[in-house]
Amino acid sequence: MTGTPEEKSLKGLFIRTYGCQMNVYDSERIRDVLRPLGYAPVEAPEAADLVVVNTCHIREKATEKVYSELGQLKRMKEASGGRMTIAVAGCVAQAEGEELIRRQPAVDLVLGPQAYHKLPEMIARASRAIGDRLETEFDTIEKFDALPKTREADGPTAFVSVQEGCDKFCTFCVVPYTRGAEISRRVDDIVFETRSLASQGVREITLLGQNVNAFHGPAPVIEGGDDWTLGQLCRHLSKIGGIERIRYTTSHPRDMDDDLISAHGDTPALMPFLHLPVQSGSDRILKAMNRGHTADHYRDIIARVRQARPDIAIASDFIIGFPGESDADFEATMQLVRDIGYAIAYSFKYSSRPGTPAAEMHGHLSEVVKDERLQALQGLLREQQTEFNASQIGKSLPVLVTGKGRNPGQMHGRSPYLQAVHFEGPESLNGKIVDVKVVGASLNSLTGELMRVREAVL
Ligand code: 5AD
Ligand code: SF4
């Protein structure tokens, strides 16, 4: 006899995730969908019966990585005697569809971001070699409804999807094509999932959406049944026992409404960190990008958010080298960065994406110019990030402990401003909120001394 039926039917699952936090969340949900079929995570792709590559299409480099990874998996599949099933999920799957199977025939299944719940059915079909190997229909409502309602928590922090898709059509971006139109999840479902996470020890949730502040999900009938905004949702979720911290990402300046701004002032659980991408500081470029706002409009939003919550840390994304970007346009971006003062920011060289309007525009810049500008911008952003981290020295911060640190006896956690914090402390603190006095700071993290364990979460 060789073990229980469960053990006998266990199959190895390896998921490789590229790209944004939405993909990280989707990979978790893929794991949830496959668990009832007997799939359990394994450490390396070689040991897996099913490998899922969850892909990103946002820049050319991200897409290239997928094909090189698939080349490696093909060799592993051959070495396994063909036992391994290879599934490609995410935005490259959506954008390339059948082309993916043509370019890499070792791929067994291709499924877009709205089709994860159909994965069990697709695997069954593939094993009998019947039917479609491709599922790239847009069916977000069906996806929201079909995914398992409960989640298995993995530590004290968790993502909760509240919105998907994007109707903004920035001229450089593939997301509206790969993720489809904006759609919000029902408040009831979000509350159910959050409660289930809280009961497993989750203290901090990050509400996720491609345009998360465009959220307008239907409220429960008992609450009137109207569509709620993100501000209303945050206030409601902050009342769930155990949920001490709420974050949301990623937002668009056009959807930063007054109610959400005031929620930052009246909802202590809403963490003082706002990722509000601006992309450029030049009005001419913002217009060509179809962002729907000016640089001053953005400055005004940040000023109002800071009025509501003076200590709020601001983050952004930037694209440099958009077609037609002049020295003066780039300087306007640098000036905006100086004016705002960022805690952290992500900056990218413009990457031309097939099918987007910007790809057809005149005035594409050379890599040399793009490299120069990127270095100048990143230099300034690094200075600001270092300065922001150093400004915490001497303060006592509430830190959510998220795990063991690199050195023995060390733990790490998250500050309210989303900084990584390292300090000496016992493992029993994992999942708790503790006060840490900050004694050191670098570009990417803080070090501190444990002061006190907060009663509320003991
Ligand atoms: N080229 C470079 N960066 C891009 N982004 C989106 N599309 C492109 C592109 N074509 C960046 C934006 C966005 C982030 C997720 O990726 O800054 O906010
Ligand atoms: Fe892309 Fe613009 Fe939508 Fe963000 S708002 S996902 S950059 S189209």
Side-chain angles (χ1 to χ4, degrees):
M1 292 293 285
T2 52
T4 65
E6 282 90 346
E7 280 166 352
K8 260 198 260 172
S9 63
L10 225 54
K11 285 167 273 190
L13 168 68
F14 184 84
I15 307 181
R16 171 90 71 207
T17 309
Y18 293 100
C20 63
Q21 283 149 332
M22 186 65 89
N23 267 12
V24 175
Y25 177 85
D26 281 343
S27 290
E28 282 174 21
R29 303 313 317 258
I30 290 173
R31 204 186 55 200
D32 294 342
V33 164
L34 292 175
R35 189 174 300 114
L37 272 75
Y39 283 95
V42 290
E43 296 275 309
E46 289 88 345
D49 299 279
L50 173 63
V51 176
V52 180
V53 186
N54 198 2
T55 61
C56 173
H57 196 52
I58 198 104
R59 284 169 291 274
E60 198 180 350
K61 258 199 198 140
T63 307
E64 278 166 8
K65 263 194 222 151
V66 172
Y67 282 104
S68 84
E69 167 107 31
L70 289 176
Q72 287 170 20
L73 288 173
K74 172 183 185 255
R75 285 186 287 279
M76 287 180 210
K77 182 175 180 165
E78 284 163 359
S80 79
R83 179 183 53 95
M84 178 190 283
T85 301
I86 302 175
V88 182
C91 291
V92 176
Q94 186 65 41
E96 310 249 305
E98 271 174 62
E99 177 61 23
L100 244 162
I101 302 180
R102 257 196 299 276
R103 258 183 85 174
Q104 183 45 274
V107 170
D108 298 287
L109 303 169
V110 177
L111 60 151
Q114 272 74 31
Y116 302 140
H117 56 289
K118 297 190 179 155
L119 195 49
E121 183 190 326
M122 291 175 77
I123 292 171
R125 281 200 309 238
S127 69
R128 296 192 306 256
I130 50 163
D132 261 347
R133 298 199 285 158
L134 182 75
E135 197 66 73
T136 50
E137 292 297 310
F138 280 124
D139 219 343
T140 318
I141 282 280
E142 196 187 309
K143 173 183 164 185
F144 275 149
D145 285 347
L147 284 170
K149 293 278 181 272
T150 49
R151 301 254 313 275
E152 207 169 282
D154 184 18
T157 64
F159 292 124
V160 175
S161 170
V162 303
Q163 183 276 343
E164 277 213 36
C166 179
D167 297 339
K168 301 289 188 294
F169 289 95
C170 298
T171 53
F172 52 81
C173 188
V174 290
V175 168
Y177 312 98
T178 58
R179 289 274 175 172
E182 278 173 13
I183 182 123
S184 298
R185 200 173 171 194
R186 275 199 309 268
V187 172
D188 267 343
D189 290 346
I190 298 166
V191 168
F192 192 86
E193 186 169 321
T194 305
R195 281 216 182 97
S196 133
L197 290 166
S199 72
Q200 298 173 68
V202 168
R203 296 278 149 294
E204 176 177 308
I205 53 166
T206 301
L207 307 179
L208 270 189
Q210 256 93 33
N211 254 292
V212 70
N213 56 344
F215 171 85
H216 54 92
V221 179
I222 193 170
E223 303 273 359
D226 299 339
D227 273 7
W228 276 4
T229 62
L230 189 65
Q232 286 169 293
L233 179 70
C234 288
R235 288 192 190 94
H236 190 70
L237 295 176
S238 72
K239 293 181 203 138
I240 293 179
I243 297 300
E244 308 263 332
R245 295 177 161 202
I246 300 175
R247 305 178 185 277
Y248 59 89
T249 198
T250 296
S251 334
H252 194 292
R254 265 157 64 187
D255 294 316
M256 206 63 216
D257 61 45
D258 291 345
D259 186 52
L260 182 55
I261 292 176
S262 57
H264 277 282
D266 63 36
T267 310
L270 200 49
M271 287 292 96
F273 182 94
L274 174 65
H275 184 198
L276 193 66
V278 66
Q279 315 295 356
S280 169
S282 154
D283 287 347
R284 210 174 64 84
I285 296 296
L286 287 169
K287 190 154 194 268
M289 286 177 164
N290 190 34
R291 292 288 294 175
H293 63 84
T294 62
D296 277 349
H297 180 207
Y298 180 85
R299 284 185 179 88
D300 177 61
I301 295 168
I302 300 296
R304 285 190 290 133
V305 173
R306 281 182 164 153
Q307 220 165 11
R309 181 79 205 234
D311 66 331
I312 198 158
I314 306 295
S316 181
D317 295 348
F318 293 93
I319 295 178
I320 58 88
F322 186 82
E325 185 189 72
S326 66
D327 284 339
D329 293 320
F330 176 64
E331 175 47 31
T333 299
M334 293 290 275
Q335 190 53 47
L336 181 68
V337 172
R338 285 182 213 112
D339 292 346
I340 301 292
Y342 287 98
I344 191 166
Y346 307 92
S347 43
F348 312 98
K349 285 191 279 184
Y350 168 73
S351 169
S352 181
R353 308 307 289 129
T356 59
E360 310 295 323
M361 288 179 187
H362 296 295
H364 283 256
L365 301 184
S366 72
E367 284 303 302
V368 180
V369 173
K370 286 197 227 174
D371 280 331
E372 247 172 47
R373 289 183 185 168
L374 187 68
Q375 274 181 30
L377 175 62
Q378 290 188 336
L380 177 59
L381 291 169
R382 258 197 308 271
E383 264 172 43
Q384 293 193 343
Q385 189 172 329
T386 308
E387 208 173 294
F388 177 73
N389 287 350
S391 73
Q392 309 297 329
I393 294 177
K395 287 187 194 159
S396 172
L397 296 179
V399 170
L400 173 61
V401 186
T402 48
K404 281 199 279 184
R406 234 180 268 146
N407 304 327
Q410 203 183 45
M411 299 298 287
H412 66 68
R414 275 182 187 179
S415 81
Y417 312 107
L418 207 52
Q419 294 147 301
V421 185
H422 304 278
F423 63 96
E424 306 267 306
E427 260 180 64
S428 58
L429 294 180
N430 203 5
K432 298 191 167 119
I433 296 181
V434 299
D435 284 335
V436 171
K437 185 169 177 205
V438 181
V439 296
S442 66
L443 176 65
N444 292 315
S445 64
L446 306 177
T447 47
E449 285 164 4
L450 179 63
M451 310 288 286
R452 188 172 75 99
V453 180
R454 298 208 160 193
E455 298 300 318
V457 291
L458 279 176

